[in-house]
Structure formats: structure tokens, C-alpha cells
């Protein structure tokens, strides 16, 4: 993947807050309405054919970002540009047509498959919704084709989700996402609910599908080794913000943000187990109900300076195709301190 490919998807200043509207109880008790700041001014682009890996702790906003850019959750503000169209401006009918190109593979394949429908019905449903088949036999033919391409058999079509293993169910989830021939797929922790022995098979399948179908992925995971294996570029997320982003090799071999360094330090180094120094973070991820001021990482950062709690750092280039948002990279600030 070259850095000169055109962006397929551009996200600009995307914000997603939940709540914030006063309830009756808020009004009666004169309480401030609760607001969860899930995403704060997130900007990035994904080039056609690449895999952008999105990494961060549970609760940092990764899945919210994946769902918001597909408008499964409505954004609070910001732009989501897909091939020149701002999809935040589309009405329901236009968005339905757009969904053909934008699909998602969910984390928990069991929870996302309707237990009362057969696999043929689950996988074929979107063909019906989009009016892409005229007859039942045409639909079945297309379902057989996609089911076989993900490693299942036509004989499986009339079974129900509970009759499959976890890995098989995720293959069904992938078939459902790909049957409309999308261009862009959000893979939302697609292997984290699976046994380790099955994870590699599903990762391999996603890789093969990407090559065969010229797909572009946003691959969400909390596992940095999976992200490192699959991604052309990596974005590191902390409390609803991207704190570091760049080419995978650059970010993983030369991380610049203290949070990225701490994530990488937790990965065991099999060659040098003695030499690896773990950066342990104090405390838990702060609540998005009341995020810290300035740099949101300052409550846990081992390198925090007085300025960090007051001023939010801006993203700066630290290497070709590699940016981070940390005051330690602001040469003027560090020399003045
Ligand atoms: Fe740590 Fe300050 Fe950098 Fe934030 S801006 S990561 S608190 S050094």
C-alpha cells in the first residue's frame, strides 16, 4: 500500500456525545444533564485498499468510532466523506443505498445472528432489502457462492446459528457483510470472542477476502499483535481521541506517545524477555462522563508536566507519515520548561 493512494473515506472533526439533553428528573432536581463524550474531534482518512488498524483499551471509543462512521450511531457533529459524499448529510433512503458500500463484521458473531432465522435467510436478507435479487433461487445461488467463499458448505444453509462453532459463526458474519460487495468494511474486534486456535483462521480469511475483493478495512482491536500483523497504518485511541497515527512499521518500532509506548511495553518480547521494560499505567481509563482537562492522558502519564493538565496537545509530524499529539514533541515547550 502506498501513501499516495486516494482516500476512500475521510473523517473530519467527528464528535459523538451521548445524552446532554435534560430529562424531567434533571429539570426537577436542577441537575446538570449527564453527557458521555465518546468521540472528540476525530480526524483521519483511509486510503483505498488499505487496512487502518485502530487500537486502544476497552471503553476508549473504538467501537463507537466504527459504528458512527457507518451511521449506525448518528454523529453529534463532523464530516464523514466516502468517495466525495458527506454521508452525514444523506437522508434515510440515500443512506440505505450507501450501506451497500459500507459494511461491518461484529465482535460477537452469536449475538449478531438472529437465532430464529436460518443461515440462508440471515445472509440473504440484505440482498432482498436492497432489491438485488428477483427470485428465491437467485438469492440462494448468491448465498451459496458467498458461504462457500468463506469456507462453509451449501449444506449448512438451512441450519441455525446455534448449530455452528464460534469460528463458523464468524465466517457467517463475514459472509453477511460481504454479500453486497462492499468497498469498505469495519471489522469490530472480529476475533476477540474466539478461541486463540481459531483466531488465526479468521484473520487469514479476512486477509484473503480483502485481496480477492479489493476491500478497505478499518480493523478494530485491543490486541496490538493482531493490529501489527494486519494493518498498513495504525491509529492509537485514548478516551475518544486519536493520540498517535502512522505507518505500522513506524508506530510500532518507534512509538512516540507515552500511551502507545505503554501498550507496546505490555506485549511480551520472546527474544529478550529480561530486557523488556514494562511501562505500567496508574489507575483505570477515566470516565468519558467527566474526562480530564488538557491532555486526557495526563492522569496516568508517567511523563506528565504541569502544562499537560491545562492545554490539550496538538497533533504534530514526528516522522514521515507519522503523527502524535503530546507536549513532549513540542520542542519550544520542552526547551522552555
Ligand atoms: Fe503525557 Fe503530557 Fe504527553 Fe499527555 S501531553 S502524553 S500528559 S507528556
Amino acid at each position: 500500500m502506498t501513501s499516495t493512494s486516494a482516500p476512500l473515506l475521510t473523517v473530519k472533526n467527528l464528535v459523538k456525545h451521548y445524552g446532554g439533553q435534560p430529562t424531567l428528573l434533571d429539570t426537577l432536581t436542577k441537575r446538570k444533564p449527564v453527557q458521555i463524550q465518546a468521540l472528540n474531534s476525530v480526524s483521519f482518512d483511509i486510503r483505498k485498499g488499505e487496512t487502518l488498524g485502530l487500537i486502544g483499551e476497552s471503553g476508549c471509543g473504538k467501537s463507537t468510532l466504527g459504528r458512527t462512521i457507518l451511521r449506525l450511531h448518528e454523529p453529534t457533529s463532523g464530516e464523514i466523506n466516502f468517495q466525495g459524499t458527506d454521508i452525514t448529510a444523506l437522508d434515510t433512503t440515500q443512506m440505505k443505498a450507501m450501506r451497500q458500500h459500507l459494511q461491518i463484521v461484529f465482535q460477537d458473531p452469536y449475538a449478531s445472528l438472529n437465532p430464529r432465522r436460518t443461515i440462508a435467510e440471515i445472509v440473504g436478507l440484505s440482498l432482498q432489502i436492497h432489491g438485488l435479487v428477483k427470485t428465491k433461487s437467485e438469492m440462494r445461488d448468491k448465498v451459496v457462492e458467498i458461504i462457500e467463499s468463506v469456507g462453509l458448505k451449501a449444506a449448512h444453509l438451512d441450519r441455525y446459528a446455534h448449530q455452528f462453532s464460534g469460528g463458523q459463526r464468524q465466517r457467517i458474519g463475514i459472509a453477511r457483510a460481504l454479500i453486497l460487495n462492499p468497498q469498505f468494511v469495519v471489522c469490530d474486534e472480529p476475533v476477540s470472542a474466539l478461541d486463540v486456535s481459531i483466531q488465526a483462521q479468521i484473520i487469514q480469511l479476512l486477509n484473503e477476502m480483502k485481496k480477492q475483493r479489493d476491500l478497505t478495512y478499518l480493523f478494530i482491536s485491543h490486541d496490538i499483535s493482531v493490529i501489527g500483523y494486519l494493518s498498513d497504518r495504525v491509529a492509537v485511541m485514548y478516551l475518544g481521541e486519536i493520540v498517535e497515527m502512522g505507518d505500522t512499521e513506524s508506530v510500532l518500532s518507534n512509538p512516540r506517545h507515552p500511551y502507545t509506548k505503554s501498550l507496546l511495553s505490555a506485549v511480551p518480547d520472546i527474544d529478550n524477555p529480561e530486557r523488556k521494560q514494562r511501562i505500567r499505567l496508574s489507575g483505570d481509563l477515566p470516565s468519558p462522563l467527566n474526562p480530564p482537562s488538557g491532555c486526557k492522558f495526563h492522569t496516568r502519564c508517567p511523563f506528565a508536566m504541569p502544562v499537560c493538565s491545562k492545554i490539550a496537545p496538538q497533533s504534530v509530524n514526528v516522522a514521515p507519515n507519522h503523527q502524535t499529539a503530546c507536549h513532549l514533541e513540542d520542542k519550544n515547550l520542552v526547551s522552555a520548561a
Side-chain angles (χ1 to χ4, degrees):
M1 176 57 40
T2 67
S3 58
T4 53
S5 310
L8 183 75
L9 183 99
T10 303
V11 173
K12 266 193 216 160
N13 302 323
L14 189 64
V15 173
K16 177 65 190 172
H17 292 171
Y18 296 96
Q21 306 302 322
T23 61
L24 180 60
L25 191 62
D26 293 331
T27 311
L28 290 174
T29 58
K30 298 196 174 114
R31 189 177 64 181
K32 205 175 155 207
V34 169
Q35 186 179 60
I36 299 171
Q37 299 179 24
L39 300 175
N40 284 301
S41 202
V42 173
S43 299
F44 63 94
D45 55 31
I46 305 183
R47 297 183 281 269
K48 186 166 169 48
E50 84 170 338
T51 296
L52 176 67
L54 182 63
I55 184 100
E57 287 165 283
S58 291
C60 73
K62 305 183 299 294
S63 292
T64 303
L65 176 59
R67 286 160 199 233
T68 306
I69 61 182
L70 300 185
R71 280 189 62 191
L72 298 175
H73 295 184
E74 285 299 328
T76 303
S77 63
E79 273 180 39
I80 306 160
N81 218 294
F82 178 75
Q83 289 192 313
T85 301
D86 180 5
I87 66 169
T88 63
L90 299 184
D91 63 24
T92 312
T93 312
Q94 291 167 324
M95 195 59 218
K96 182 183 157 194
M98 181 59 83
R99 285 204 195 288
Q100 254 184 271
H101 308 297
L102 311 167
Q103 288 290 314
I104 184 166
V105 176
F106 292 100
Q107 173 181 359
D108 183 346
Y110 194 56
S112 69
L113 301 177
N114 187 332
R116 291 191 192 85
R117 288 184 183 268
T118 64
I119 298 318
E121 289 167 342
I122 289 172
V123 177
L125 183 65
S126 47
L127 290 173
Q128 282 181 313
I129 290 173
H130 289 272
L132 298 176
V133 284
K134 292 189 177 66
T135 63
K136 282 197 170 170
S137 77
E138 190 186 351
M139 183 172 97
R140 195 158 177 102
D141 289 348
K142 283 189 186 277
V143 173
V144 168
E145 192 185 322
I146 194 81
I147 277 289
E148 288 182 342
S149 77
V150 299
L152 296 172
K153 298 191 177 84
H156 290 135
L157 288 191
D158 298 314
R159 295 185 192 170
Y160 294 86
H162 72 270
Q163 296 175 285
F164 294 90
S165 67
Q168 286 175 319
R169 287 198 287 260
Q170 195 53 293
R171 287 175 190 270
I172 296 163
I174 293 168
R176 178 177 57 182
L178 299 187
I179 197 160
L180 293 177
N181 278 325
Q183 296 180 59
F184 174 71
V185 181
V186 172
C187 302
D188 185 7
E189 301 259 17
V191 296
S192 58
L194 304 176
D195 290 347
V196 175
S197 57
I198 306 297
Q199 288 184 3
Q201 295 172 16
I202 297 298
I203 288 170
Q204 190 63 26
L205 174 65
L206 286 165
N207 250 346
E208 278 166 22
M209 290 291 116
K210 183 178 173 233
K211 281 187 207 133
Q212 283 172 21
R213 294 167 170 265
D214 198 17
L215 295 168
T216 302
Y217 286 158
L218 173 66
F219 195 98
I220 298 170
S221 179
H222 62 271
D223 185 334
I224 211 156
S225 4
V226 170
I227 290 283
Y229 175 73
L230 274 168
S231 310
D232 300 293
R233 286 189 303 140
V234 178
V236 182
M237 188 162 221
Y238 187 80
L239 211 56
E241 294 178 355
I242 290 178
V243 296
E244 182 154 15
M245 178 154 55
D247 291 341
T248 302
E249 165 66 23
S250 186
V251 173
L252 299 194
S253 63
N254 185 21
R256 304 293 282 264
H257 195 281
Y259 180 58
T260 316
K261 288 180 185 175
S262 76
L263 289 179
L264 279 164
S265 79
V267 179
D269 184 342
I270 294 173
D271 297 328
N272 292 303
E274 307 286 310
R275 287 181 49 200
K276 187 124 190 181
Q277 268 213 330
R278 176 99 192 254
I279 302 173
R280 292 184 189 278
L281 300 180
S282 56
D284 295 327
L285 191 69
S287 168
L289 281 171
N290 186 21
S293 57
C295 172
K296 291 198 165 73
F297 188 53
H298 83 260
T299 54
R300 302 169 81 195
C301 179
F303 309 102
M305 305 171 279
V307 68
C308 300
S309 60
K310 298 185 183 85
I311 301 172
Q314 299 299 307
S315 187
V316 293
N317 288 320
V318 288
N321 302 318
H322 186 171
Q323 301 84 36
T324 194
C326 172
H327 288 311
L328 290 173
E329 298 297 340
D330 183 339
K331 303 287 178 287
N332 297 329
L333 188 79
V334 172
S335 55

